[in-house]
């Protein structure tokens, strides 16, 4: 088996193309790319490459040694994350090298801008950023339901959310609060979100408060739910949308408890 084959068969999200390829117990597969490790792990890979080989290719076994790791599932998860964030590239069959973005990431004075750019290289994170810029983003289970709507497999949603939150914090996107995605104002250029972020941040709840407090916030969430209605519905899609709606509205209105939404293929009238 080649190194390439081994990488592609690593557990979970370690495929070298950056795709998670993750399946849950019902063989549901994620249809959107996301890493299992955060941006900090990708930065570790970039730093090891730079300190060992500069911008030249480095064989996978030498990279593992530079990181103090064996060629294992944990190592492949880190290298896959580095590829998902666009900071490393595959070179030949069994080597890695820094991408231009990766070189910026390890260059003093450029790392903050590079982190902000790398965060948006991940397909899932870019979709969330585009959907929620300048407005509140759900947290916890509500965010996981949104991720499922985008294409994350159900059994992978918790891990995808944790990696997203860790990466957003590392890249500086939570500077206005952990429920607001705002690109950091780095590199001497104003953030594209900076013109409205301060106004929104003054009215948004703290992490401990947990849910929006204004009618505009609630209206935005309802509009988002309507926008996410699929063109066609079956029982599975309808149940998934209802679970997303239930989680978001419960978070928005701070309603405790849970409503069970189950899929049934047939219905019988009593």
């Amino acid at each position: 088996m080649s190194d390439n084959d081994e990488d592609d068969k690593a557990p979970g999200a370690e495929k070298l193309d950056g795709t998670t390829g993750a399946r849950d117990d019902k063989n549901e597969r994620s249809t959107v790319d996301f890493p299992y490790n955060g941006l900090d792990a990708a930065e570790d890979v970039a730093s090891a490459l730079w300190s060992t080989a500069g911008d030249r290719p480095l064989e996978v076994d030498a990279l593992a040694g530079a990181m103090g790791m064996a060629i294992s599932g944990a190592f492949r998860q880190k290298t896959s994350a580095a590829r998902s964030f666009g900071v490393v590239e595959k070179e030949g069959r069994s080597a890695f090298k820094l991408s231009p973005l990766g070189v910026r990431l390890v260059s003093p004075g450029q790392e903050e801008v590079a982190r902000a750019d790398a965060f948006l290289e991940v397909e899932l994170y870019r979709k969330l950023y585009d959907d929620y810029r300048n407005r509140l983003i759900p947290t916890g289970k509500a965010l996981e339901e949104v991720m499922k709507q985008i294409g994350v497999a159900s059994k992978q949603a918790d891990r995808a959310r944790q990696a997203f939150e860790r990466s957003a914090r590392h890249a500086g996107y939570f500077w206005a609060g952990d429920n607001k995605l705002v690109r950091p104002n780095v590199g001497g250029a104003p953030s594209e979100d900076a013109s409205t972020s301060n106004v929104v941040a003054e009215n948004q709840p703290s992490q401990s408060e947990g849910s929006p407090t204004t009618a505009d916030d609630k209206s935005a969430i309802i509009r988002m739910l309507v926008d996410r209605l699929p063109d066609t519905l079956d029982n599975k899609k309808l149940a998934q949308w209802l679970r997303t709606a239930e989680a978001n509205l419960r978070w928005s209105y701070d309603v405790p408890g849970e409503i069970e939404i189950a899929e049934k293929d047939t219905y019988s009238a009593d």
Side-chain angles (χ1 to χ4, degrees), residues 17-258:
D17 61 359
T19 307
T20 63
R23 296 179 181 269
D24 67 13
D25 292 342
K26 296 181 180 179
N27 291 324
E28 179 187 5
R29 186 182 184 118
S30 294
T31 58
V32 64
D33 294 347
F34 64 92
Y36 274 179
N37 287 83
L39 179 56
D40 54 332
E43 198 164 338
D44 288 344
V45 177
S47 296
L49 273 170
W50 180 253
S51 62
T52 307
D55 59 357
R56 293 173 292 122
L58 185 66
E59 290 294 318
V60 64
D61 54 347
L63 175 59
M67 295 175 64
M69 301 181 71
I71 301 177
S72 61
F75 169 75
R76 294 187 182 104
Q77 284 186 14
K78 285 196 170 188
T79 56
S80 177
R83 285 174 60 89
S84 291
F85 285 106
V87 300
V88 305
E89 301 169 346
K90 196 71 167 42
E91 182 78 8
R93 296 183 60 189
S94 60
F96 291 97
K97 65 176 293 186
L98 286 173
S99 68
L101 177 57
V103 173
R104 289 169 48 211
L105 185 63
V106 298
S107 298
Q110 299 186 47
E111 62 269 29
E112 290 185 342
V113 180
R115 287 184 190 121
D117 291 342
F119 178 80
L120 296 180
E121 287 290 316
V122 178
E123 182 184 8
L124 174 63
Y125 301 175
R126 166 59 80 173
K127 288 179 181 291
L128 287 169
Y129 177 74
D130 288 343
D131 285 348
Y132 287 98
R133 68 172 70 189
N134 294 325
R135 62 191 181 96
L136 294 170
I137 185 170
T139 58
K141 294 299 181 183
L143 178 56
E144 291 177 20
E145 292 297 331
V146 171
M147 288 180 167
K148 293 176 193 176
Q149 285 284 309
I150 294 174
V152 176
S154 298
K155 293 296 179 68
Q156 311 302 323
D158 176 68
R159 193 165 182 182
R161 174 186 58 80
Q162 292 183 48
F164 165 78
E165 292 173 342
R166 187 164 64 251
S167 299
R169 194 167 292 110
H170 187 72
Y173 278 81
F174 281 161
W175 67 266
D178 283 359
N179 54 0
K180 183 72 167 55
L181 271 181
V182 184
R183 183 179 173 91
N185 186 8
V186 293
S191 164
E192 61 187 278
D193 304 325
S195 59
T196 58
S197 61
N198 290 338
V199 175
V200 177
E202 290 174 359
N203 296 321
Q204 70 182 14
S206 66
Q207 184 70 7
S208 61
E209 290 172 335
S211 63
T213 58
T214 69
D216 286 345
D217 293 331
K218 295 180 176 70
S219 296
I221 288 173
I222 292 171
R223 286 195 300 272
M224 178 274 294
L225 291 169
V226 173
D227 289 344
R228 289 197 177 278
L229 276 169
D231 293 333
T232 59
L233 282 175
D234 54 25
N235 281 347
K236 181 176 181 179
K237 290 180 180 178
L238 179 59
Q240 188 176 43
W241 186 88
L242 289 171
R243 283 192 288 266
T244 300
E246 187 263 344
N248 278 274
L249 292 173
R250 188 177 296 285
W251 173 77
S252 176
Y253 286 87
D254 197 20
V255 179
E258 184 177 358

